[in-house]
Amino acid sequence: MSLLIHSMSEFSDIILGCMHAADASNLVEVGAEFGGMSQQLAAYAQLKQGHLTSIDPTPQPEFIAWADGCKSATHIALPSLEAMPTLANVDAWVIDGDHNYYTVSNELRIADELAQRDGRPLLAFLHDVSWPTARRDMYYAPERIPAEWRHPHSFEGGAFLGQSELRPHRGFRGMGNFAFATHEGGPRNGVLTAVEDFLDAARTPDRALAFAHVPAVFGLGIVFDSSAPWAADVAQIVHPYHDNALMASLELNRLRNYLAVIDWQDRQAA
């Protein structure tokens, strides 16, 4: 059994509670993996007589088997930036795909453009807005990122808390499954940086987007239109968790313990 708690489904009470407050029924998920969160979203959509569209070019076989038999869910096997522009009338987005500045910036931009085109308030949930990808890009498929947006990266280097540079074959790493940018921080680097820049660009005298940050399980971000009729209800749900100091302290302790386990495993393997 894995010791790492990493799934977005850990936030399901918050996410589904906000969706219920916003009366959302037409849902889009970016990044399915095994489908743990997908199943909860599809069940919610079915109760609301809505539908879930799940975008993932290479999900796990378990998800594909489930999606094939689920009437309230549709799987689109394309990268998010190709699939999202084809959609319409989306009530809520759950974004947990490729965790890098270029991808997340464009996912938010497209979601916002569609929301304004269709006359619907923006409601988006984003995973991995905390360490290690808050200020450091992660690439599952670096070749999909234009060169001018792609940082130098490593599939073998591992991240450590409080350290910008990666360490080869040490620390929190993808073991060949994903690459980290070789440095942390700076412009156009990381998921939280992408969210902050999007919020700055989207702000106008007539429109403001609110943001809440739940600092646990790699971080949940909630972006929503503060002028939406349901905005106060969503804000009431997320406010106790926003930048919660106790949760942040527990998450830091969890990460330190997990990095210690990785170090023990590396020493044993050596």
Side-chain angles (χ1 to χ4, degrees):
M1 178 181 293
S2 173
L3 295 176
L4 181 61
I5 301 172
H6 70 281
S7 174
M8 201 172 190
S9 63
E10 304 298 333
F11 302 106
S12 59
D13 286 350
I14 298 173
I15 293 171
L16 296 178
C18 289
M19 288 181 175
H20 180 71
D23 197 29
S25 59
N26 188 21
L27 316 178
V28 175
E29 172 190 48
V30 174
E33 197 175 18
F34 291 94
M37 189 66 197
S38 311
Q39 295 181 42
Q40 296 191 55
L41 293 172
Y44 167 87
Q46 186 174 19
L47 287 173
K48 299 289 288 186
Q49 297 183 325
H51 198 78
L52 168 68
T53 300
S54 185
I55 301 169
D56 194 322
T58 55
Q60 297 296 320
E62 293 91 330
F63 167 81
I64 295 174
W66 166 79
D68 286 345
C70 182
K71 295 181 179 180
S72 59
T74 299
H75 173 219
I76 300 179
L78 289 172
S80 60
L81 302 186
E82 294 180 30
M84 288 175 65
T86 68
L87 304 177
N89 299 319
V90 178
D91 295 319
W93 301 83
V94 178
I95 299 174
D96 189 18
D98 208 1
H99 311 307
N100 57 73
Y101 184 95
Y102 175 81
T103 304
V104 174
S105 293
N106 282 289
E107 287 170 342
L108 285 169
R109 174 186 58 79
I110 294 168
D112 193 38
E113 289 174 353
L114 294 179
Q116 294 188 68
R117 183 199 67 189
D118 297 339
R120 302 197 176 208
L122 180 65
L123 176 60
F125 305 88
L126 302 101
H127 200 199
D128 294 271
V129 298
S130 298
W131 193 89
T133 55
R135 308 297 182 188
R136 186 194 299 273
D137 273 3
M138 173 197 286
Y139 308 114
Y140 286 109
E143 67 278 3
R144 292 187 189 144
I145 311 300
E148 63 270 26
W149 294 88
R150 187 175 63 234
H151 293 281
H153 53 277
S154 169
F155 277 93
E156 302 301 333
F160 284 82
L161 290 162
Q163 298 182 21
S164 175
E165 301 303 318
L166 301 177
R167 296 188 197 176
H169 308 287
R170 298 284 304 279
F172 188 7
R173 58 196 187 275
M175 305 293 289
N177 295 313
F178 62 79
F180 274 136
T182 55
H183 72 281
E184 184 178 34
R188 304 197 311 191
N189 196 9
V191 174
L192 184 57
T193 306
V195 174
E196 292 170 344
D197 288 354
F198 164 76
L199 293 171
D200 287 342
R203 187 178 296 111
T204 70
D206 301 322
R207 181 172 183 257
L209 296 175
F211 175 64
H213 181 184
V214 183
V217 194
F218 301 124
L220 175 70
I222 304 106
V223 175
F224 61 100
D225 191 330
S226 60
S227 66
W230 40 257
D233 293 330
V234 169
Q236 186 175 20
I237 293 170
V238 301
H239 180 263
Y241 305 101
H242 173 58
D243 285 344
N244 184 289
L246 176 59
M247 295 181 71
S249 178
L250 292 172
E251 174 71 353
L252 179 59
N253 183 68
R254 181 181 81 97
L255 292 170
R256 285 173 174 162
N257 286 335
Y258 188 67
L259 286 168
V261 170
I262 294 175
D263 185 58
W264 295 336
Q265 291 174 335
D266 288 340
R267 291 177 186 275
Q268 185 176 25

